Amino acid sequence: MLAGPALFFLLVLFFLPVIAVLVIALSDWQFGAGSLSFVGLANFREVFADAGFRASLVNTVLYALIVVPGTVFLGLLIALLIESEKSCRAFYRAIHFLPFMATLTAMAIAWEALLHPTIGLVNQTLGAIGLPTTNWLRDENTALPVLAFIGIWQNLGYAMVLFLAGLKSIPQDLYDAADVDGADLWLDRLRIVTLPMLGPVSMFVVIVVALRAFESFDAVKVLTQGGPGHASEVLLYTLYRESFEYLRTGYGAAVAVVFLAIIVTLTLVQTRVMDRKVHYQ
């Protein structure tokens, strides 16, 4: 009885929508239509034959490959710097965590102003020091990297907080033992004690940031709308555009099923890794 409400909402808010999406993906239904016909796997064949979908899938993977390592590395670096600093720790934590708390749509609008090709602060600064400028959000060579940079900036505070918690949990006795064994340099202490002890936290950060990277949508919708061409289009934007702009609901549902399969795979990897016993060397 106590689990009943949770099971009810899990059924209504998760399982039934997933079943509905699977049914729609196997049909030719369009948003607002009063009837549908089942077409089998035709939508999935169209999805994988579509060059636009393949481009959005590649862009999503590239986006994740930039955001995940960048967020993890910079989050760990900032956490180490804050932990080594004796003063103003709370101030530095708040400053770096603020982007994660802010509404990304509002922040995207601010980034749009910063990256404006003529009056934006970024190009103004580059021009003032004699460096070349570009239209960051309308150049197919820079649009996706810029979005990835914004993604790193937005997720950095979350990774930093998790790494700070992990650093706090490392017993001081291990560092003392490392000093006795001759590991008195900071690099040796980092390699022998800190990084191995941060193994579980690091894996958790990687999985969570990867999930957030695959779910990127707000910045793409506000800043580039997937352009120029398909240079910055990601899976969630493809799903949104096909379902709610082009009203190709069956096709959009097939994209949603593929996206769901990717997310479920990442979640299962997370569960498998987190359930393992972690051995420290």
Side-chain angles (χ1 to χ4, degrees):
M1 291 177 61
L2 292 175
L7 292 174
F8 172 77
F9 284 110
L10 185 64
L11 175 66
V12 172
L13 299 178
F14 182 75
F15 289 111
L16 290 182
V18 168
I19 294 173
V21 168
L22 289 173
V23 171
I24 294 172
L26 299 174
S27 73
D28 62 353
W29 186 68
Q30 293 186 342
F31 189 77
S35 61
L36 58 83
S37 299
F38 286 97
V39 295
L41 299 177
N43 287 323
F44 291 96
R45 288 193 292 269
E46 184 179 358
V47 163
F48 288 106
D50 186 359
F53 170 80
R54 292 197 299 271
S56 69
L57 179 59
V58 171
N59 288 340
T60 303
V61 173
L62 290 176
Y63 178 88
L65 290 177
I66 297 173
V67 170
V68 175
T71 302
V72 172
F73 174 76
L74 292 177
L76 176 59
L77 178 62
I78 292 175
L80 290 170
L81 292 175
I82 291 177
E83 190 64 19
S84 65
E85 182 63 38
K86 300 302 182 182
S87 61
C88 299
R89 289 183 179 180
F91 173 76
Y92 293 136
R93 286 197 299 264
I95 289 297
H96 288 97
F97 193 68
L98 184 62
F100 182 78
M101 298 297 295
T103 303
L104 186 55
T105 302
M107 293 297 98
I109 295 174
W111 276 105
E112 186 176 26
L114 290 172
L115 296 169
H116 192 278
T118 56
I119 62 173
L121 181 62
V122 173
N123 275 351
Q124 291 282 347
T125 303
L126 292 176
I129 60 178
L131 294 177
T133 62
T134 186
N135 191 345
W136 300 98
L137 299 175
R138 294 295 177 264
D139 187 334
E140 63 181 12
N141 295 318
T142 59
L144 188 65
V146 166
L147 292 177
F149 175 82
I150 295 174
I152 294 173
W153 169 81
Q154 204 260 337
N155 289 292
L156 186 59
Y158 182 71
M160 175 206 67
V161 167
L162 292 177
F163 281 124
L164 281 173
L167 290 172
K168 291 289 187 182
S169 68
I170 300 177
Q172 181 61 37
D173 294 345
L174 295 179
Y175 291 110
D176 295 338
D179 288 338
V180 171
D181 290 338
D184 50 354
L185 296 177
W186 69 269
L187 185 59
D188 294 332
R189 293 157 60 92
L190 177 67
R191 179 176 57 86
I192 296 174
V193 178
T194 305
L195 292 182
M197 292 296 294
L198 287 177
V201 175
S202 300
M203 183 56 65
F204 181 78
V205 172
V206 168
I207 297 298
V208 172
V209 173
L211 290 173
R212 290 179 59 85
F214 274 92
E215 295 169 0
S216 174
F217 172 78
D218 304 62
V220 177
K221 180 66 173 68
V222 174
L223 295 177
T224 65
Q225 294 79 48
H230 296 287
S232 63
E233 186 173 326
V234 293
L235 283 178
L236 270 189
Y237 186 77
T238 300
L239 190 160
Y240 165 81
R241 185 195 61 195
E242 296 290 342
S243 299
F244 301 107
E245 291 185 357
Y246 299 162
L247 301 181
R248 301 175 61 199
T249 314
Y251 182 95
V255 175
V257 171
V258 175
F259 176 78
L260 180 62
I262 295 173
I263 296 301
V264 168
T265 301
L266 289 177
T267 304
L268 291 176
V269 170
Q270 176 189 9
T271 303
R272 181 177 180 182
V273 171
M274 293 303 168
D275 285 343
R276 289 179 178 176
K277 293 182 179 179
V278 180
H279 300 279
Y280 301 106
Q281 298 179 352

